[in-house]
Amino acid sequence: MKKEQKRYYFDYAATTPVDKRVLKAMKPYFSDNFANPSSIHTPGMDASEAVESSRKIIANYLGATPSEIFFTSSATESNNWALKGIAATAKGDKKKIIISPIEHHCVLNTAKYLKKMGFEIVETPVDKEGIVDVEKLKELVDDKTLLVSIMHSNNEMGTIEPIKEIGKICDDKNVTFHTDAVQSYGKMPLNVNEMNVDLLTASSHKIYGPKGTAILYIRGGTQIEALLHGGGQESDKRSSTLNVPGIVGFRKATEICVKEMKKEWKKQSKLRDKITKYIKEKIPNSHLNGPALGKPRLCNNVNVRFDFIEGESLLMDLDSHGIAVSTSSACSSPKLEASHVLTALGISKGDAHGTIRITIGRFTSEKDVKYFLTTLEKSVTKLRVMSPLNTRNC
Ligand code: PLP
């Protein structure tokens, strides 16, 4: 990275910078009080108190009780645990797991693994905006269904799923329901009881907290096997020494998000719509992927497709101007494969390749957006002139 170049970050869905207030809260737990919270000496008990007060704050936001919050190392771990942990309790022929085709790879690939282990994996369809077909899901849930796992909102397109309705279906049929709420957590109110969810995943590094800390909410009474066995931490459900600075950081990040939620949603939605409208009006042959303008969508997400150019070329050109965007979800970008989310929406692989994901956040300013939009317009025009795909010279 060129040192002197100002950077413009438009990839908040991949990860966020640690907020300085979060860093300040974490600092004492690295070298001053570094004790193991399982130790029963005074520093150990202080560390344990920091963990327990964090559990309480996170539980409060979710409408859960502290004993239902389990700290993990990542959302990938939490999602693996939710699926494999429930699968391990399966009895008889109750072996059907329902997911959507637009889940994050850590759910999709865990489901793939469970299929090899003899589970039946069923993908319930989504419409062209990425919304799960609730009626179809209702038909699919039967007495062989062990688990339903549907994400709260999509990381690529910002589609918000009808989680309350899905939760009601699962509750009525007595089926365990998991939601990956990584992209919604901290952006909007979430209440596990109103949503009827039994398991919920969230991750600290998506909300201005540190990487390497996440949670799995597990409703009291849910039968689930541990993924990690060892010293018996986290009520013997998730062994491993607790990451105290990370957990304290997650707590502080949650507190700030909850306090600033309304203000941030309003500010970011406004910028999101400004970006969407500008692209629609000024850049011909561009298409918004996912929910149409004005429909419910995460406040920070714009996913757009440009005819006649490759998303990767656009990403590189923007990068040379100091702008960071993504072609799809950060973890699958290097594979240069068409996004499974876009193809699930009925977009052809060829068209999907012309897509970029623009995600804004707490530190995005009007000025940043202005620079981004004028640079984007110039880049698209330049790349289209050079593109062999552009036989119409648009
Ligand atoms: N689920 C969703 C919806 C995500 O967006 C991500 C990260 O991009 C993950 C899971 C994985 O999160 P982590 O990086 O904490 O493993």
Side-chain angles (χ1 to χ4, degrees):
M1 193 200 303
K2 285 182 215 145
K3 251 194 184 152
E4 68 281 2
Q5 190 169 34
K6 180 166 166 28
R7 303 298 303 179
Y8 295 84
Y9 190 69
F10 285 83
D11 200 13
Y12 277 82
T15 195
T16 57
V18 174
D19 190 297
K20 289 198 170 55
R21 293 166 288 181
V22 170
L23 198 58
K24 191 171 168 212
M26 292 170 70
K27 261 188 174 160
Y29 295 94
F30 285 104
S31 308
D32 296 340
N33 187 356
F34 54 87
N36 188 326
S38 298
S39 302
I40 53 172
H41 44 59
T42 303
M45 287 194 290
D46 285 349
S48 172
E49 245 174 57
V51 169
E52 293 319 313
S53 69
S54 303
R55 208 187 297 281
K56 208 165 155 188
I57 298 239
I58 291 168
N60 263 350
Y61 164 47
L62 293 173
T65 57
S67 62
E68 295 173 315
I69 303 296
F70 295 84
F71 290 109
T72 65
S73 67
S74 66
T76 299
E77 181 191 329
S78 298
N79 285 343
N80 267 264
W81 184 14
L83 270 69
K84 292 176 185 166
I86 295 294
T89 67
K91 287 191 186 80
D93 61 355
K94 214 172 154 119
K95 285 194 148 189
K96 180 166 163 183
I97 298 174
I98 302 174
I99 59 170
S100 85
I102 63 166
E103 297 299 311
H104 189 271
H105 275 118
C106 60
V107 169
L108 290 179
N109 288 336
T110 304
K112 226 183 208 177
Y113 164 80
L114 289 171
K115 191 174 175 184
K116 277 199 286 183
M117 298 291 122
F119 288 85
E120 184 194 0
I121 306 298
V122 179
E123 286 187 358
T124 189
V126 294
D127 69 10
K128 63 181 190 351
E129 295 190 339
I131 298 168
V132 165
D133 181 339
V134 176
E135 285 311 311
K136 182 75 192 158
L137 179 79
K138 201 172 183 176
E139 284 169 28
L140 290 172
V141 180
D142 56 20
D143 53 8
K144 293 205 169 123
T145 308
L146 175 69
L147 175 71
V148 172
S149 179
I150 304 288
M151 67 201 321
H152 193 280
S153 60
N154 182 266
N155 46 305
E156 290 190 34
M157 279 170 324
T159 309
I160 301 167
E161 298 298 345
I163 292 299
K164 265 190 207 171
E165 288 157 78
I166 299 170
K168 169 101 179 48
I169 295 168
C170 294
D171 193 44
D172 287 349
K173 301 202 177 182
N174 213 8
V175 167
T176 305
F177 178 36
H178 166 246
T179 188
D180 172 355
V182 164
Q183 295 289 344
S184 300
Y185 186 98
K187 292 191 184 80
M188 61 180 79
L190 293 177
N191 185 297
V192 288
N193 298 316
E194 285 173 12
M195 295 187 291
N196 270 311
V197 302
D198 301 303
L199 303 148
L200 178 145
T201 296
S203 182
S204 151
H205 76 96
K206 307 286 187 184
I207 63 152
Y208 314 91
K211 293 170 183 59
T213 303
I215 54 147
L216 182 64
Y217 154 80
I218 306 175
R219 182 176 293 283
T222 305
Q223 293 303 305
I224 183 165
E225 280 295 325
L227 193 64
L228 301 186
H229 301 91
Q233 289 91 344
E234 297 292 83
S235 317
D236 210 15
K237 281 204 163 76
R238 199 272 181 183
S239 290
S240 177
T241 299
L242 288 161
N243 172 1
V244 183
I247 289 167
V248 170
F250 197 2
R251 169 187 74 190
K252 187 68 185 174
T254 301
E255 279 177 326
I256 297 170
C257 282
V258 169
K259 198 162 157 234
E260 301 180 353
M261 192 175 279
K262 274 195 188 144
K263 182 187 87 179
E264 280 302 322
W265 185 276
K266 203 169 154 199
K267 181 197 105 176
Q268 291 180 34
S269 308
K270 210 170 136 202
L271 292 178
R272 174 200 64 195
D273 292 349
K274 187 175 176 164
I275 295 170
T276 309
K277 282 181 193 154
Y278 185 99
I279 294 173
K280 192 169 172 252
E281 283 163 19
K282 302 270 187 179
I283 308 182
N285 301 304
S286 58
H287 316 270
L288 181 69
N289 295 320
L293 191 64
K295 291 257 195 85
R297 184 181 198 121
L298 283 181
C299 58
N300 71 332
N301 175 292
V302 180
N303 188 308
V304 67
R305 180 169 105 238
F306 300 98
D307 293 341
F308 318 120
I309 54 175
E310 296 283 347
E312 284 77 22
S313 316
L314 184 55
L315 181 150
M316 304 289 257
D317 198 62
L318 291 172
D319 188 53
S320 74
H321 291 93
I323 295 168
V325 295
S326 153
T327 45
S328 59
S329 62
C331 31
S332 53
S333 284
K335 292 187 197 158
L336 296 186
E337 279 169 8
S339 146
H340 68 282
V341 176
L342 294 173
T343 51
L345 265 60
I347 296 168
S348 73
K349 282 188 181 171
D351 285 348
H353 277 299
T355 291
I356 59 166
R357 179 185 70 179
I358 303 151
T359 46
I360 54 176
R362 182 177 291 163
F363 305 111
T364 312
S365 67
E366 289 264 2
K367 225 169 132 193
D368 296 341
V369 168
K370 206 169 160 199
Y371 172 75
F372 168 72
L373 289 172
T374 48
T375 312
L376 176 73
E377 194 180 349
K378 282 186 209 155
S379 285
V380 171
T381 309
K382 183 178 86 183
L383 292 170
R384 278 183 175 163
V385 169
M386 294 173 353
S387 171
L389 304 171
N390 187 5
T391 49
R392 285 165 41 195
N393 250 346
C394 298

